[in-house]
Amino acid sequence: MLDEGEQITFGEVARRARVSTWLVYADGVRGHVQAAIDKQDAGSVRARSNGELASSASLKAELAMAHEEIRALRDKCERLQSGMRHNLGQQLDQITQRPLAERITELTELTDANRKLEAELAELRPLKKKARALEADLAAARTSLRQMIRDTNQGDKA
């Protein structure tokens, strides 16, 4: 465990050796385990003074900075997701509005065509009345012409 750099404790030694903890605390074994713990602690102090191991204060500071970075990344992620939702909503609105806009354009064109036809009809109404009057005059002229032809034919026979 010492060579592997793992934390040495009485409980961990007992677990690794698959023995009960009372055996690890027994005379003869206890001294070896304690010596390994002391050696590991001395190595940690030397490594810490050489800058090889971080102090608990620096680890806490790093942890706090990591938490802050995680918080900032979560905020950024939330902002990006919100922006994506907004953009997707706009795209969906455009997709659903596009057929409506096309229909509105079509209806506007039909309305304009209808107005033109109504204007033409308004111009044709007086002409329709005039055509009826002319048709009546033509019918009367035909009737008169027939009468004249009959009168002329009867005068030639007599």
Side-chain angles (χ1 to χ4, degrees), residues 22-83:
W22 70 266
L23 181 61
V24 179
Y25 284 105
D27 289 335
V29 177
R30 180 186 181 125
H32 291 289
V33 174
Q34 190 61 49
I37 291 173
D38 293 341
K39 187 174 181 183
Q40 191 176 48
D41 287 344
S44 295
V45 170
R46 262 186 264 117
R48 200 174 297 136
S49 66
N50 292 339
E52 295 174 15
L53 289 179
S55 67
S56 63
S58 67
L59 290 175
K60 286 179 184 178
E62 277 190 49
L63 182 62
M65 290 185 335
H67 282 299
E68 184 60 35
E69 185 177 357
I70 289 169
R71 191 176 305 115
L73 289 172
R74 283 183 180 158
D75 289 345
K76 183 178 181 180
C77 182
E78 190 175 316
R79 284 192 312 274
L80 291 173
Q81 285 176 342
S82 176

Side-chain angles (χ1 to χ4, degrees), residues 1-8 12 16 40:
M1 289 175 67
L2 188 61
D3 292 340
E4 293 172 3
E6 294 183 26
Q7 181 70 31
I8 300 174
E12 186 62 23
R16 281 279 196 93
Q40 191 176 48

